[in-house]
Amino acid sequence: MQENLKTLDLEEYYESFEGFLARPKDLYLQGDTKVHLRYINALETLLFTPPIAVKNLQSQLALLKKFAYLKLDEIFEFVKIMRYFLYLKSLKCEGILGEWFGAIQIPEQILPIIHSFLEDGKLKEGIYLELDSINASLERLKREIAEQLLRILNQNKLTPYLVDRQIHLVNDEECLLLKAGFHHILKGQILDRSASGFFYVLPQSIVNLKDKQNTLTHQKEAKLFEITREISSIFTKHLLFLKYIDKEFDRFDAYQARIHFAKAKNLEFLAPKPNSTEIILDSFKHPALKNPKPITLHFKGQVLMVTGVNAGGKTMLLKSLLSVVFLSKYLIPLPINATKSSVGSFKHLHCILEDPQNSKNDISTFGGRMLEFSHILKQSDGIIGIDEIELGTDSDEAASLFKVLLESLMQNHNKIIITTHHKRLAALMAGDKRVQLLAALFDEANQIPTFSFLDGIIGKSYAFETALRYGIPKALINSAKTLYGADKEKLNVLIQNASQLEMQLNNEITQAQERSAFLEQKIQHLKGKEIALQEKFNKLQSRLEATYQDAINAAKIAAKEKSTSDIHRALNHANTLINKAKSIKSDSNISLNKSDSNISYTKGARIKYRNMRGIILSTNKQGALIELENGMKVKVAFRELKLSGNTPTPTTTIDIQAPQAASPTLDLHGMRAEAALEALEGFLSKSLIAGFDEVLIYHGIGTGRLSSVVRDFLKSHPKVVEFQDAPPKAGGFGAKIVKL
């Protein structure tokens, strides 16, 4: 990883990111990238304070495993981690963050330890009373020593021997700087001598106080050892929890550092897409460049061959592509338009960018390249960057060799980015549809590179123009051009044009084949759909015709019946069949007459509607009013009609008139059950013909026999939608309101 950071010029960028971590850690996030991104997205919406710096605790966890004790400052590092998770839990997050923080339950034995420390890592007063007493005694001694030194300084008899009135510190001991002869006035220990020959003296009275201070200090250390051993014992019992929360802190730290780094630098997250090798960059700026020109590129092939002008940005383009892959793999935010960008997932990333030749390894440039190729030829499903691929050997020989090597890498499903100045390899590879050409452009008018690229062509190196720009005399360049020869230049142009024509022809052939296959597939799909629709239409049409015929027959039977109740029953049966036919009609809304969409239907035209013929009486934008051969007039849409040359013939028409004196109420009081049912059936039939959608039936209360019979009849009647007892003013329990 560090090697890739250096090769891709990302070291400074990574150091900037590390500044947002509470403690250094590996870049790699174990687990599913999609899951990590879900947590990062959730944390982006949460306002929280980032954690303070925490030490790495792997060695401390190892000590606890061996039942060793920790120092007070080491214990406090664990306390800082647990305190931070208590802070996160206090934010009362919802969703995945709430579930995560809620799952971290700190053991009851450890909670008092967490609350025993001050923010600076010292123990709070009032918890360990013996330690508090020792600390209080030390504070008193400290004040007494300061007061004693001040009194000695203010003694008049000592004034002649004082070099200054300051309290000096020598070997962590307070002392006075005195002149020779002081021992007649003050007893004490000489700690050191100054460059001027004066003496650093510790007064004897202070020595006695220092002895007491040392004794108390040893007592404090012993007490602290006892406390830390006790806490370490509790920590050892909960070692698994400490390992767990230490790991979860690293995970949270990795998330929060990425979020705050992105906010501070105005960066975006770009996660690699699984099962994809496509790379789409939109407005990417390599972090190592100052005021870079944004890169927008769609690398859709398997090999990207970048040719063209020297110092035109080819190498930096290669590094940019690999940098995006590298940073996205570790979910490090980067300067890019992420909504319009995409990057695939690769098992490994390999860079061949430097010249391997040096005096120590005794290897040539080309030999070093071959050694690196021998390693990557065994790799698969990775992304490989090779700068100046033909470096170190004859370009014509190298073109043939590297063509074979690149084809071997492609067979192993590697994605490859190449830069080169030579056209021979580009010409050999241009005919392969897996190869994508990209040329660095040159501003010939201003004689400078543009740092932009054009897809689909082989670029020119512009070696003469570049040499002139860097100060090579024009006369020398003209001589070089003459030596190079016009024929060579024409040959390069022919190679370039031939490669472009071959690529264009291959693209056109591919597009034609894809379109032909697509059209053939479409034709087969439409044929299958047409057959299925025709079969469905024929079945539904047969059902519809049979049902309508049953309804017509039932209506004819009703016309022949003499008894009114029999007529009503027959009409109800016919009406049921018609409704069934209507439901079939609504389910069979299929139009197969696409060829008739342009037919003009006019007044008087003879048509066929379903299984009947008729004539158009009038038309509008929605459809036509037609008269069928049975005398019925119907409004229908044009798509349901077909032109017919046959003259419609009149047939027998069954005309059922609505009752002239229909009433929406029926009184069944005093009737026997059989007579009441006959009257009720006839009443409902008349109401249906009259078009009533709600009627009122009086049956009374009495013994309840008539009420029960009426209720059972209404439940079984096919045209009764619902019924209920009437309101008190309309009969209450002795009447029913019936909806039809």
Side-chain angles (χ1 to χ4, degrees):
M1 186 189 71
Q2 291 296 331
E3 184 179 350
N4 283 334
L5 287 171
K6 181 180 179 181
T7 304
L8 299 176
D9 298 332
L10 293 174
E11 285 183 305
E12 187 176 341
Y13 188 70
Y14 177 66
E15 288 175 3
S16 179
F17 164 72
E18 274 193 315
F20 290 86
L21 291 167
R23 63 184 179 192
K25 57 182 60 66
D26 189 12
L27 266 180
Y28 181 67
L29 294 173
Q30 291 185 348
D32 190 345
T33 301
K34 287 184 178 179
V35 175
H36 292 311
L37 200 58
R38 282 180 58 210
Y39 282 96
I40 288 173
N41 290 335
L43 277 172
E44 278 188 306
T45 63
L46 180 68
L47 291 175
F48 65 94
T49 304
I52 59 175
V54 176
K55 294 179 181 178
N56 189 300
L57 297 172
Q58 292 304 307
S59 59
Q60 284 72 27
L61 289 169
L63 285 172
L64 288 173
K65 189 176 180 180
K66 296 177 181 178
F67 300 98
Y69 77 95
L70 303 180
K71 297 178 182 177
L72 195 65
D73 60 333
E74 294 173 330
I75 293 171
F76 185 60
E77 294 299 314
F78 284 104
V79 168
K80 286 194 288 185
I81 291 174
M82 291 183 281
R83 273 184 177 174
Y84 190 74
F85 274 106
L86 288 175
Y87 158 71
L88 292 176
K89 290 164 74 73
S90 71
L91 299 179
K92 301 187 184 303
C93 303
E94 297 180 352
I96 57 173
L97 293 181
E99 293 174 5
W100 182 17
F101 301 151
I104 299 174
Q105 297 294 329
I106 298 174
E108 291 293 331
Q109 274 189 296
I110 294 181
L111 285 173
I113 298 172
I114 296 173
H115 301 303
S116 298
F117 284 85
L118 297 170
E119 293 300 321
D120 60 358
K122 294 180 180 179
L123 291 169
K124 291 181 180 178
E125 293 183 0
I127 298 175
Y128 302 100
L129 299 180
E130 188 176 344
L131 179 65
D132 292 344
S133 175
I134 294 172
N135 284 332
S137 298
L138 284 171
E139 285 296 321
R140 285 195 300 272
L141 272 175
K142 186 177 179 181
R143 289 194 299 271
E144 190 175 345
I145 289 171
E147 291 171 358
Q148 184 70 16
L149 282 171
L150 189 61
R151 281 196 297 270
I152 293 172
L153 276 173
N154 291 327
Q155 289 179 3
N156 293 329
K157 59 183 179 180
L158 189 61
T159 300
Y161 301 98
L162 288 174
V163 177
D164 55 40
R165 290 189 172 275
Q166 295 180 359
I167 296 175
H168 297 268
L169 196 66
V170 176
N171 299 327
D172 293 328
E173 299 283 356
E174 298 93 337
C175 56
L176 305 176
L177 186 60
L178 302 177
K179 299 175 184 177
F182 69 89
H183 56 276
H184 297 292
I185 305 299
L186 180 69
K187 292 183 178 181
Q189 296 179 5
I190 298 174
L191 301 179
D192 200 358
R193 294 190 68 172
S194 70
S196 304
F198 301 117
F199 301 93
Y200 290 103
V201 179
L202 178 63
Q204 188 60 44
S205 58
I206 303 298
V207 171
N208 298 332
L209 293 175
K210 285 284 184 179
D211 290 339
K212 292 180 180 179
Q213 187 181 44
N214 290 335
T215 301
L216 287 172
T217 300
H218 290 316
Q219 291 177 4
K220 179 179 179 179
E221 289 175 354
K223 188 61 183 175
L224 284 175
F225 175 76
E226 182 183 335
I227 293 170
T228 54
R229 188 171 56 183
E230 180 184 343
I231 295 174
S232 298
S233 176
I234 296 172
F235 275 11
T236 301
K237 293 177 183 178
H238 298 282
L239 181 60
L240 289 178
F241 169 76
L242 293 178
K243 288 182 177 180
Y244 164 70
I245 200 169
D246 185 68
K247 184 179 179 181
E248 291 304 294
F249 180 78
D250 266 342
R251 178 184 164 199
F252 179 87
D253 188 29
Y255 293 160
Q256 70 82 22
R258 285 162 170 80
I259 291 168
H260 287 100
F261 181 55
K263 290 180 179 179
K265 306 291 184 179
N266 194 26
L267 307 172
E268 298 185 43
F269 288 95
L270 182 65
K273 288 186 177 180
N275 304 319
S276 172
T277 59
E278 189 176 43
I279 299 176
I280 302 174
L281 306 187
D282 187 276
S283 303
F284 174 71
K285 300 177 181 178
H286 194 286
L289 300 178
K290 294 181 180 179
N291 302 318
K293 188 170 184 177
I295 296 173
T296 298
L297 174 66
H298 185 181
F299 182 9
K300 52 186 177 292
Q302 195 172 350
V303 174
L304 181 66
M305 182 166 287
V306 188
T307 59
V309 61
N310 295 280
K314 297 191 299 298
T315 301
M316 189 50 68
L317 174 67
L318 183 150
K319 289 184 177 182
S320 295
L321 282 165
L322 296 179
S323 294
V324 171
V325 173
F326 178 83
L327 294 172
S328 64
K329 178 181 180 181
Y330 298 108
L331 283 181
I332 303 296
L334 57 161
I336 198 171
N337 182 357
T339 57
K340 294 184 179 181
S341 300
S342 174
V343 62
S345 179
F346 303 94
K347 287 185 178 179
H348 64 88
L349 184 151
H350 197 92
C351 307
I352 304 177
L353 304 181
E354 305 294 336
D355 184 351
Q357 182 181 24
N358 61 58
S359 57
K360 293 181 180 179
N361 60 20
D362 190 25
I363 192 170
S364 68
T365 299
F366 182 71
R369 284 293 170 94
M370 290 300 96
L371 183 61
E372 289 179 301
F373 263 92
S374 68
H375 297 151
I376 63 174
L377 283 173
K378 303 172 186 177
Q379 297 177 348
S380 60
D381 301 306
I383 185 165
I384 302 167
I386 309 166
D387 191 30
E388 301 296 346
I389 189 169
E390 295 151 317
L391 190 67
T393 189
D394 179 78
S395 61
D396 289 334
E397 289 184 12
S400 301
L401 174 62
F402 284 118
K403 181 179 187 298
V404 174
L405 294 176
L406 291 173
E407 287 174 346
S408 176
L409 289 171
M410 285 191 282
Q411 287 178 359
N412 288 338
H413 309 290
N414 291 296
K415 202 173 180 78
I416 311 154
I417 309 159
I418 301 165
T419 69
T420 181
H421 291 289
H422 303 290
K423 299 182 180 65
R424 176 63 179 164
L425 178 60
L428 289 175
M429 299 293 294
D432 193 326
K433 62 181 180 181
R434 298 170 295 178
V435 177
Q436 181 178 346
L437 296 177
L438 199 66
L441 300 181
F442 187 78
D443 184 351
E444 295 191 21
N446 297 311
Q447 296 292 298
I448 56 173
T450 63
F451 300 102
S452 56
F453 301 87
L454 187 61
D455 200 358
I457 67 169
I458 299 174
K460 183 181 175 183
S461 65
Y462 289 95
F464 297 138
E465 291 80 359
T466 303
L468 182 63
R469 183 161 57 91
Y470 284 103
I472 302 300
K474 191 172 183 179
L476 295 178
I477 291 173
N478 289 335
S479 298
K481 285 182 178 180
T482 303
L483 186 62
Y484 183 69
D487 291 340
K488 187 78 172 181
E489 182 66 25
K490 289 178 182 179
L491 179 59
N492 282 333
V493 173
L494 288 173
I495 291 173
Q496 182 173 334
N497 291 339
S499 299
Q500 293 175 17
L501 288 173
E502 185 178 0
M503 287 179 58
Q504 184 178 353
L505 180 60
N506 288 336
N507 288 335
E508 290 176 356
I509 291 172
T510 302
Q511 291 173 5
Q513 290 173 343
E514 290 175 353
R515 182 165 181 79
S516 177
F518 173 77
L519 291 175
E520 182 63 29
Q521 184 181 5
K522 196 75 173 176
I523 290 170
Q524 295 301 324
H525 174 71
L526 290 174
K527 283 182 178 179
K529 191 172 183 181
E530 183 180 4
I531 293 170
L533 288 173
Q534 186 65 56
E535 290 176 353
K536 184 177 180 181
F537 180 80
N538 291 339
K539 289 179 182 178
L540 292 173
Q541 188 178 37
S542 298
R543 286 178 58 197
L544 186 62
E545 289 174 353
T547 307
Y548 268 111
Q549 190 60 47
D550 291 343
I552 292 170
N553 293 336
K556 288 178 179 179
I557 293 170
K560 295 176 181 179
E561 295 292 341
K562 295 179 180 181
S563 168
T564 304
S565 61
D566 292 338
I567 291 172
H568 289 317
R569 288 191 188 95
L571 284 174
N572 285 336
H573 179 58
N575 194 44
T576 302
L577 291 171
I578 289 171
N579 287 332
K580 182 179 178 183
K582 287 180 179 178
S583 67
I584 295 172
K585 176 186 172 183
S586 64
D587 292 339
S588 60
N589 188 18
I590 302 171
S591 176
L592 296 176
N593 302 321
K594 296 181 180 178
S595 60
D596 296 340
S597 60
N598 296 324
I599 296 176
S600 176
Y601 295 98
T602 58
K603 181 179 180 182
R606 299 179 187 279
I607 50 84
K608 182 178 180 182
Y609 172 62
R610 295 185 178 151
N611 63 334
M612 295 176 285
R613 301 182 186 279
I615 188 170
I616 295 178
L617 299 179
S618 63
T619 62
N620 56 29
K621 292 182 179 179
Q622 285 72 35
L625 175 64
I626 63 172
E627 183 177 1
L628 299 175
E629 53 193 7
N630 62 3
M632 291 180 62
K633 295 179 181 179
V634 186
K635 286 184 178 180
V636 296
F638 289 127
R639 66 175 180 274
E640 299 184 65
L641 299 178
K642 287 185 178 181
L643 290 178
S644 174
N646 299 327
T647 305
T649 57
T651 60
T652 303
T653 303
I654 299 173
D655 189 13
I656 301 173
Q657 300 294 329
Q660 297 296 320
S663 171
T665 61
L666 172 65
D667 193 350
L668 302 176
H669 281 89
M671 291 187 182
R672 290 180 175 276
E674 186 175 350
L677 289 179
E678 185 175 347
L680 179 56
E681 185 175 18
F683 169 73
L684 291 177
S685 298
K686 290 178 182 179
S687 299
L688 287 166
I689 294 171
F692 297 147
D693 57 359
E694 189 174 285
V695 295
L696 180 63
I697 300 169
Y698 296 97
H699 52 72
I701 300 175
T703 61
R705 167 67 178 161
L706 186 58
S707 173
S708 176
V709 168
V710 169
R711 184 167 55 254
D712 292 341
F713 180 85
L714 292 175
K715 286 181 180 179
S716 63
H717 198 285
K719 302 308 292 183
V720 173
V721 177
E722 65 179 17
F723 64 90
Q724 59 185 3
D725 292 330
K729 293 182 180 180
F733 297 112
K736 293 287 186 291
I737 294 176
V738 183
K739 291 186 179 180
L740 304 175

PDB file of all heavy atoms in Angstrom, residues 480-495:
ATOM      1  N   ALA A 480      17.487  18.162 -37.939  1.00  0.00           N
ATOM      2  CA  ALA A 480      16.917  16.885 -37.502  1.00  0.00           C
ATOM      3  C   ALA A 480      15.709  16.504 -38.348  1.00  0.00           C
ATOM      4  O   ALA A 480      15.519  15.335 -38.698  1.00  0.00           O
ATOM      5  CB  ALA A 480      16.526  16.973 -36.031  1.00  0.00           C
ATOM      6  N   LYS A 481      14.917  17.499 -38.687  1.00  0.00           N
ATOM      7  CA  LYS A 481      13.741  17.230 -39.524  1.00  0.00           C
ATOM      8  C   LYS A 481      14.163  16.722 -40.893  1.00  0.00           C
ATOM      9  O   LYS A 481      13.560  15.809 -41.460  1.00  0.00           O
ATOM     10  CB  LYS A 481      12.895  18.504 -39.667  1.00  0.00           C
ATOM     11  CG  LYS A 481      12.081  18.865 -38.430  1.00  0.00           C
ATOM     12  CD  LYS A 481      11.242  20.108 -38.689  1.00  0.00           C
ATOM     13  CE  LYS A 481      10.379  20.456 -37.483  1.00  0.00           C
ATOM     14  NZ  LYS A 481       9.565  21.663 -37.724  1.00  0.00           N
ATOM     15  N   THR A 482      15.235  17.346 -41.440  1.00  0.00           N
ATOM     16  CA  THR A 482      15.730  16.910 -42.752  1.00  0.00           C
ATOM     17  C   THR A 482      16.227  15.470 -42.688  1.00  0.00           C
ATOM     18  O   THR A 482      15.966  14.654 -43.576  1.00  0.00           O
ATOM     19  CB  THR A 482      16.865  17.836 -43.209  1.00  0.00           C
ATOM     20  OG1 THR A 482      16.382  19.178 -43.246  1.00  0.00           O
ATOM     21  CG2 THR A 482      17.364  17.448 -44.587  1.00  0.00           C
ATOM     22  N   LEU A 483      16.985  15.177 -41.620  1.00  0.00           N
ATOM     23  CA  LEU A 483      17.509  13.837 -41.448  1.00  0.00           C
ATOM     24  C   LEU A 483      16.380  12.811 -41.251  1.00  0.00           C
ATOM     25  O   LEU A 483      16.443  11.684 -41.721  1.00  0.00           O
ATOM     26  CB  LEU A 483      18.464  13.815 -40.246  1.00  0.00           C
ATOM     27  CG  LEU A 483      19.229  12.505 -39.995  1.00  0.00           C
ATOM     28  CD1 LEU A 483      20.142  12.191 -41.187  1.00  0.00           C
ATOM     29  CD2 LEU A 483      20.049  12.623 -38.712  1.00  0.00           C
ATOM     30  N   TYR A 484      15.357  13.227 -40.527  1.00  0.00           N
ATOM     31  CA  TYR A 484      14.204  12.357 -40.267  1.00  0.00           C
ATOM     32  C   TYR A 484      13.515  11.981 -41.566  1.00  0.00           C
ATOM     33  O   TYR A 484      13.127  10.839 -41.783  1.00  0.00           O
ATOM     34  CB  TYR A 484      13.239  13.070 -39.317  1.00  0.00           C
ATOM     35  CG  TYR A 484      12.039  12.261 -38.907  1.00  0.00           C
ATOM     36  CD1 TYR A 484      12.175  11.157 -38.075  1.00  0.00           C
ATOM     37  CD2 TYR A 484      10.777  12.605 -39.342  1.00  0.00           C
ATOM     38  CE1 TYR A 484      11.079  10.420 -37.687  1.00  0.00           C
ATOM     39  CE2 TYR A 484       9.674  11.875 -38.962  1.00  0.00           C
ATOM     40  CZ  TYR A 484       9.818  10.785 -38.130  1.00  0.00           C
ATOM     41  OH  TYR A 484       8.720  10.054 -37.755  1.00  0.00           O
ATOM     42  N   GLY A 485      13.379  12.980 -42.451  1.00  0.00           N
ATOM     43  CA  GLY A 485      12.857  12.716 -43.790  1.00  0.00           C
ATOM     44  C   GLY A 485      11.360  12.870 -43.883  1.00  0.00           C
ATOM     45  O   GLY A 485      10.614  12.502 -42.983  1.00  0.00           O
ATOM     46  N   ALA A 486      10.966  13.427 -45.035  1.00  0.00           N
ATOM     47  CA  ALA A 486       9.544  13.631 -45.287  1.00  0.00           C
ATOM     48  C   ALA A 486       8.819  12.299 -45.446  1.00  0.00           C
ATOM     49  O   ALA A 486       7.659  12.155 -45.065  1.00  0.00           O
ATOM     50  CB  ALA A 486       9.366  14.498 -46.533  1.00  0.00           C
ATOM     51  N   ASP A 487       9.515  11.283 -46.052  1.00  0.00           N
ATOM     52  CA  ASP A 487       8.870   9.988 -46.267  1.00  0.00           C
ATOM     53  C   ASP A 487       8.487   9.327 -44.942  1.00  0.00           C
ATOM     54  O   ASP A 487       7.436   8.703 -44.822  1.00  0.00           O
ATOM     55  CB  ASP A 487       9.809   9.058 -47.044  1.00  0.00           C
ATOM     56  CG  ASP A 487       9.997   9.538 -48.487  1.00  0.00           C
ATOM     57  OD1 ASP A 487       9.131  10.307 -48.949  1.00  0.00           O
ATOM     58  OD2 ASP A 487      10.998   9.146 -49.120  1.00  0.00           O
ATOM     59  N   LYS A 488       9.353   9.474 -43.932  1.00  0.00           N
ATOM     60  CA  LYS A 488       9.075   8.885 -42.619  1.00  0.00           C
ATOM     61  C   LYS A 488       7.840   9.527 -41.987  1.00  0.00           C
ATOM     62  O   LYS A 488       6.999   8.850 -41.397  1.00  0.00           O
ATOM     63  CB  LYS A 488      10.298   9.094 -41.710  1.00  0.00           C
ATOM     64  CG  LYS A 488      10.229   8.383 -40.375  1.00  0.00           C
ATOM     65  CD  LYS A 488      10.529   6.918 -40.505  1.00  0.00           C
ATOM     66  CE  LYS A 488      10.658   6.265 -39.152  1.00  0.00           C
ATOM     67  NZ  LYS A 488      10.982   4.851 -39.229  1.00  0.00           N
ATOM     68  N   GLU A 489       7.768  10.844 -42.171  1.00  0.00           N
ATOM     69  CA  GLU A 489       6.615  11.569 -41.630  1.00  0.00           C
ATOM     70  C   GLU A 489       5.336  11.123 -42.321  1.00  0.00           C
ATOM     71  O   GLU A 489       4.305  10.900 -41.682  1.00  0.00           O
ATOM     72  CB  GLU A 489       6.825  13.084 -41.805  1.00  0.00           C
ATOM     73  CG  GLU A 489       5.696  13.942 -41.239  1.00  0.00           C
ATOM     74  CD  GLU A 489       5.587  13.841 -39.738  1.00  0.00           C
ATOM     75  OE1 GLU A 489       6.607  13.526 -39.098  1.00  0.00           O
ATOM     76  OE2 GLU A 489       4.476  14.053 -39.221  1.00  0.00           O
ATOM     77  N   LYS A 490       5.424  10.940 -43.675  1.00  0.00           N
ATOM     78  CA  LYS A 490       4.245  10.482 -44.410  1.00  0.00           C
ATOM     79  C   LYS A 490       3.840   9.073 -43.967  1.00  0.00           C
ATOM     80  O   LYS A 490       2.662   8.750 -43.864  1.00  0.00           O
ATOM     81  CB  LYS A 490       4.533  10.493 -45.908  1.00  0.00           C
ATOM     82  CG  LYS A 490       4.637  11.893 -46.507  1.00  0.00           C
ATOM     83  CD  LYS A 490       4.965  11.820 -47.983  1.00  0.00           C
ATOM     84  CE  LYS A 490       5.111  13.231 -48.577  1.00  0.00           C
ATOM     85  NZ  LYS A 490       5.467  13.171 -50.019  1.00  0.00           N
ATOM     86  N   LEU A 491       4.841   8.243 -43.685  1.00  0.00           N
ATOM     87  CA  LEU A 491       4.558   6.881 -43.238  1.00  0.00           C
ATOM     88  C   LEU A 491       3.818   6.889 -41.898  1.00  0.00           C
ATOM     89  O   LEU A 491       2.868   6.128 -41.692  1.00  0.00           O
ATOM     90  CB  LEU A 491       5.860   6.096 -43.112  1.00  0.00           C
ATOM     91  CG  LEU A 491       5.729   4.634 -42.632  1.00  0.00           C
ATOM     92  CD1 LEU A 491       4.851   3.845 -43.595  1.00  0.00           C
ATOM     93  CD2 LEU A 491       7.103   4.002 -42.487  1.00  0.00           C
ATOM     94  N   ASN A 492       4.245   7.763 -41.010  1.00  0.00           N
ATOM     95  CA  ASN A 492       3.564   7.875 -39.716  1.00  0.00           C
ATOM     96  C   ASN A 492       2.111   8.304 -39.883  1.00  0.00           C
ATOM     97  O   ASN A 492       1.209   7.800 -39.216  1.00  0.00           O
ATOM     98  CB  ASN A 492       4.291   8.885 -38.820  1.00  0.00           C
ATOM     99  CG  ASN A 492       5.549   8.293 -38.204  1.00  0.00           C
ATOM    100  OD1 ASN A 492       5.644   7.084 -38.020  1.00  0.00           O
ATOM    101  ND2 ASN A 492       6.520   9.139 -37.908  1.00  0.00           N
ATOM    102  N   VAL A 493       1.904   9.245 -40.807  1.00  0.00           N
ATOM    103  CA  VAL A 493       0.539   9.721 -41.072  1.00  0.00           C
ATOM    104  C   VAL A 493      -0.307   8.586 -41.642  1.00  0.00           C
ATOM    105  O   VAL A 493      -1.470   8.401 -41.274  1.00  0.00           O
ATOM    106  CB  VAL A 493       0.560  10.929 -42.032  1.00  0.00           C
ATOM    107  CG1 VAL A 493      -0.863  11.307 -42.440  1.00  0.00           C
ATOM    108  CG2 VAL A 493       1.266  12.110 -41.378  1.00  0.00           C
ATOM    109  N   LEU A 494       0.282   7.791 -42.574  1.00  0.00           N
ATOM    110  CA  LEU A 494      -0.448   6.672 -43.175  1.00  0.00           C
ATOM    111  C   LEU A 494      -0.808   5.621 -42.118  1.00  0.00           C
ATOM    112  O   LEU A 494      -1.919   5.076 -42.114  1.00  0.00           O
ATOM    113  CB  LEU A 494       0.385   6.040 -44.292  1.00  0.00           C
ATOM    114  CG  LEU A 494       0.518   6.862 -45.585  1.00  0.00           C
ATOM    115  CD1 LEU A 494       1.507   6.198 -46.529  1.00  0.00           C
ATOM    116  CD2 LEU A 494      -0.842   7.017 -46.255  1.00  0.00           C
ATOM    117  N   ILE A 495       0.146   5.329 -41.224  1.00  0.00           N
ATOM    118  CA  ILE A 495      -0.122   4.372 -40.143  1.00  0.00           C
ATOM    119  C   ILE A 495      -1.264   4.862 -39.263  1.00  0.00           C
ATOM    120  O   ILE A 495      -2.193   4.126 -38.913  1.00  0.00           O
ATOM    121  CB  ILE A 495       1.153   4.141 -39.296  1.00  0.00           C
ATOM    122  CG1 ILE A 495       2.202   3.389 -40.106  1.00  0.00           C
ATOM    123  CG2 ILE A 495       0.817   3.365 -38.017  1.00  0.00           C
ATOM    124  CD1 ILE A 495       3.543   3.263 -39.407  1.00  0.00           C
TER     125      ILE A 495
END
